[in-house]
Amino acid sequence: MTGSLFIGSLSYSRIDDLMTGLSTAMIFLIGIGVFFLVKTNIARDSFNIILQIEDYTTEKKASKKIIEKYATIYWITISFIYLAYSFISKNWSQSWIIWPLAGIAYGILEAILSFQFQNNTSKKEALCSENDSATL
């Protein structure tokens, strides 16, 4: 946007040089920002792993193991459907649409499976606590 202020006062060759320099500066600043984001998140995730909070609780780790089994089957099936449809219809220019749709469907499937797993574990914990209090 800064380069658009100088369009009227510079010749075409100088505008190209200015835009190239400004684009380079923008990419450099974005790189610095990404560096700090990555550095901060590495430290944050390390603390989360050590403290076993957020995504690293024992329940979430157990649910991820279950979801990974279904994920392998899911993506292999989606790949088969994509290749089968594309080879049969020879419609390669439009068959790519399966990938964004499959990604959205996977997110929904993962949310459903993790919700069911969390409900099952909370029911088991409630039953265990009732059994423990009954034996006292």
Side-chain angles (χ1 to χ4, degrees):
M1 290 180 58
T2 305
S4 65
L5 298 173
F6 299 103
I7 287 177
S9 62
L10 295 174
S11 65
Y12 287 112
S13 63
R14 299 304 296 169
I15 290 175
D16 288 343
D17 293 341
L18 175 68
M19 293 298 182
T20 302
L22 289 174
S23 298
T24 304
M26 180 185 69
I27 291 171
F28 180 73
L29 291 173
I30 290 171
I32 291 172
V34 168
F35 168 77
F36 284 118
L37 285 172
V38 169
K39 183 178 177 184
T40 303
N41 282 326
I42 286 173
R44 182 176 166 269
D45 285 343
S46 300
F47 285 122
N48 288 345
I49 290 169
I50 291 170
L51 298 173
Q52 292 188 352
I53 57 176
E54 292 182 14
D55 286 341
Y56 302 98
T57 61
T58 54
E59 294 87 19
K60 288 206 179 185
K61 287 190 275 186
S63 75
K64 282 184 182 181
K65 286 182 182 179
I66 292 172
I67 290 171
E68 284 177 4
K69 293 177 186 176
Y70 290 110
T72 303
I73 295 167
Y74 177 80
W75 287 113
I76 289 172
T77 304
I78 293 297
S79 299
F80 175 77
I81 291 169
Y82 167 73
L83 290 172
Y85 173 77
S86 297
F87 278 118
I88 291 169
S89 68
K90 296 188 185 339
N91 192 5
W92 294 92
S93 64
Q94 293 178 350
S95 63
W96 63 268
I97 195 70
I98 194 171
W99 296 114
L101 296 175
I104 292 168
Y106 177 75
I108 293 169
L109 178 71
E110 186 177 25
I112 291 169
L113 288 175
S114 65
F115 180 74
Q116 286 180 347
F117 183 79
Q118 287 174 356
N119 283 343
N120 289 340
T121 55
S122 63
K123 287 177 186 177
K124 287 178 185 175
E125 288 173 359
L127 288 173
C128 288
S129 64
E130 287 176 11
N131 290 339
D132 290 343
S133 63
T135 56
L136 294 176

